[in-house]
């Protein structure tokens, strides 16, 4: 599964694996892919340094990258307290009533509520980059599109290519104009924030729009046959995220959530604003249903929704309240039917890729004889 891009980056397979777990990122790179660590949860620079040290010690000299969340436009002087003050009291009451309905316990006194909106603020991402650029990262990706121009320049000064996600050809062209090196065409099927165009349609549109920039296909990909299809559509690799959630190296800290993922079918996800205020594909739960119910108050725009539900999500996860328990995940969850190692995932991808290529070669051979 090699392409011009994978050879340029020095990896055996053109499979880029996004994950919040250092052990998974390192295992992806060791298996011949390109591990990309998600940085949004690292609000303390020392925590990111600790995990990048760990990756360096366990990646076996293979290349890896970092994914940050940075808006292209900077908002000056806005603090977390300023944002929190904008949340209506009725929405706070709705959260409390929903948690009470399902008997979700309170956090202990003084216990932190886990991920908060600070992980999405530009200054936090800049401190993450201050740490990351002290390490030999080989890719910087941004989940919110093109990062600020000075960040792109800073990466290029260190010979680090920059990737950005796009949900349409129009977005992809903007990335090209901003000096982005790799465009990730993320289809509707993907987990997390995603647009409304399916991968089969989106990938060739983006490939044509930004030619000759390399494009990675993302969204609903979890088999070698799908990798072959993505390359046939003109992509130079694939960007996989959801498939790693049920690997043995992943650290979900929730047996109940793992069970739900393994039991879910492709139709058990929903594109909902319940998590962050922007449409994000995730497991459908009674929590997402409550927020999507027209009888409720409705979700708030980003970043208000994320701040509003941060403590509630932490409580749901800590106490594994199964009716409400979910996670961002793509429609590929229907293929995630058993726990296996990252290497086993790669073995399956390569076998499926070979079968798909052989099948197409046989078809082409028969066509040539007719």
């Amino acid at each position: 599964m090699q392409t011009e891009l994978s050879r340029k980056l020095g990896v055996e397979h053109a499979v880029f694996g996004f994950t919040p777990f250092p052990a998974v990122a390192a295992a992806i790179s060791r298996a011949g892919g390109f591990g990309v660590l998600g940085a949004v949860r690292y609000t303390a620079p020392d925590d990111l340094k600790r995990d990048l040290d760990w990756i360096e010690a366990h990646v076996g000299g293979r290349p890896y990258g970092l994914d940050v969340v940075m808006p292209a436009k900077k908002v000056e002087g806005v603090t977390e307290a300023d944002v929190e003050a904008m949340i209506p009291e009725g929405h706070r009451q709705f959260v409390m009533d929903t948690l009470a309905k399902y008997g979700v316990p309170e956090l202990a006194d003084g216990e932190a509520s886990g991920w908060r909106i600070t992980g999405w603020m530009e200054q936090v991402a800049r401190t993450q980059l201050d740490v990351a650029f002290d390490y030999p990262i080989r890719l910087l990706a941004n989940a919110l599109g093109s990062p600020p121009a000075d960040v792109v320049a800073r990466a290029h000064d260190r010979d680090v290519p920059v990737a950005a996600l796009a949900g349409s050809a129009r977005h992809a062209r903007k990335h090209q104009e901003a000096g982005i090196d790799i465009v990730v065409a993320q289809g509707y099927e993907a987990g997390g924030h995603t647009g409304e165009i399916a991968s089969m349609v989106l990938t060739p549109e983006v490939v044509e729009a930004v030619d000759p920039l390399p494009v990675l296909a993302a969204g609903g990909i979890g088999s070698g046959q799908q990798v072959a299809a993505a390359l046939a559509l003109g992509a130079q690799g694939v960007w996989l995220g959801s498939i790693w959630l049920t690997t043995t190296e992943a650290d979900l800290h929730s047996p109940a959530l793992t069970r739900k993922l393994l039991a879910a079918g492709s139709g058990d996800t929903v594109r909902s604003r319940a998590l962050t205020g922007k449409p994000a594909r995730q497991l459908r739960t009674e929590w997402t249903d409550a927020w999507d119910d027209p009888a409720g108050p409705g979700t708030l725009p980003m970043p208000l929704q994320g701040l509003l539900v941060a403590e509630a999500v932490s409580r749901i996860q800590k106490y594994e309240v199964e009716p409400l328990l979910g996670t961002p995940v793509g429609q590929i969850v229907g293929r995630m039917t058993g726990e296996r190692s990252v290497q086993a995932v790669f073995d399956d991808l390569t076998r499926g890729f070979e079968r798909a290529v052989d099948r197409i070669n046989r078809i082409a051979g028969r066509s040539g004889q007719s």
Side-chain angles (χ1 to χ4, degrees):
M1 297 187 291
Q2 274 210 338
T3 65
E4 181 182 349
L5 178 62
S6 66
R7 286 189 287 271
K8 180 179 178 180
L9 293 175
V11 294
E12 182 180 358
H13 303 301
V15 174
F16 295 72
F18 166 81
T19 174
F21 306 118
V24 175
I28 290 168
S29 292
R30 289 198 307 272
F34 195 108
V36 181
L37 179 67
V40 69
R41 66 191 180 95
Y42 293 99
T43 56
D46 286 347
D47 291 342
L48 178 59
K49 184 179 186 304
R50 177 201 64 216
D51 283 355
L52 288 176
D53 283 340
W54 190 94
I55 289 177
E56 273 291 301
H58 292 84
V59 81
R62 305 291 183 90
Y64 62 93
L66 192 74
D67 180 279
V68 296
V69 177
M70 295 189 75
K73 296 180 180 179
K74 187 173 184 177
V75 179
E76 298 282 0
V78 177
T79 67
E80 184 177 343
D82 295 331
V83 175
E84 187 155 3
M86 301 176 190
I87 298 173
E89 190 57 39
H91 282 73
R92 296 185 189 278
Q93 188 63 49
F94 180 76
V95 170
M96 289 188 290
D97 291 346
T98 304
L99 295 178
K101 177 181 176 181
Y102 291 91
V104 182
E106 298 272 358
L107 295 175
D109 288 343
E111 184 175 357
S113 62
W115 175 84
R116 290 183 70 79
I117 197 63
T118 48
W120 295 78
M121 298 181 77
E122 180 185 343
Q123 189 53 47
V124 174
R126 287 185 178 276
T127 62
Q128 293 165 351
L129 294 177
D130 290 340
V131 172
F133 283 136
D134 286 336
Y135 292 81
I137 62 170
R138 293 295 303 127
L139 180 72
L140 174 66
N142 189 39
L144 283 184
S146 302
D150 68 294
V151 172
V152 176
R154 188 177 177 190
H156 288 169
D157 286 346
R158 290 162 173 78
D159 198 29
V160 175
V162 180
L165 276 64
S168 71
R170 178 175 61 86
H171 293 154
R173 282 190 287 267
K174 288 184 176 180
H175 295 337
Q176 187 178 36
E177 293 166 3
I180 299 303
D181 305 287
I182 301 167
V183 176
V184 181
Q186 180 174 280
Y188 172 84
E189 308 94 326
H193 295 120
T194 186
E196 298 182 352
I197 305 174
S199 299
M200 182 65 76
V201 175
L202 180 65
T203 301
E205 285 187 354
V206 172
V207 168
E208 182 177 346
V210 301
D211 183 61
L213 283 189
V215 172
L216 302 178
I221 301 172
S223 72
Q225 292 90 333
Q226 291 169 309
V227 175
L231 300 189
L233 292 172
Q236 288 204 33
V238 293
W239 177 276
L240 309 185
S242 298
I243 199 73
W244 315 112
L245 288 173
T246 53
T247 57
T248 53
E249 292 91 345
D251 192 10
L252 286 177
H253 296 295
S254 175
L257 181 54
T258 299
R259 288 195 301 271
K260 290 188 76 170
L261 287 168
L262 295 176
S266 298
D268 293 326
T269 67
V270 63
R271 220 166 135 262
S272 171
R273 297 176 184 268
L275 187 61
T276 67
K278 286 196 173 190
R281 187 170 297 284
Q282 54 204 281
L283 278 182
R284 182 176 181 177
T285 66
E286 293 185 33
W287 177 255
T288 62
D289 286 350
W291 282 106
D292 296 338
D293 188 340
T299 57
L300 297 170
M302 181 187 275
L304 302 181
Q305 183 72 15
L307 185 57
L308 169 66
V309 304
E311 181 176 325
V313 171
S314 293
R315 288 165 60 182
I316 292 165
Q317 291 174 343
K318 176 178 180 178
Y319 299 110
E320 296 191 298
V321 183
E322 293 207 31
L324 305 178
L325 186 62
T327 185
V329 69
Q331 291 180 330
I332 198 63
V333 70
R335 293 186 62 93
M336 296 155 53
T337 56
E339 291 185 80
R340 50 187 177 154
S341 68
V342 168
Q343 183 62 60
V345 173
F346 268 89
D347 291 343
D348 182 61
L349 290 174
T350 54
R351 285 193 297 265
F353 182 82
E354 290 170 357
R355 288 195 297 269
V357 171
D358 288 345
R359 185 182 307 119
I360 294 301
N361 284 338
R362 289 197 302 273
I363 293 170
R366 287 196 297 273
S367 298
Q369 296 169 5
S370 60

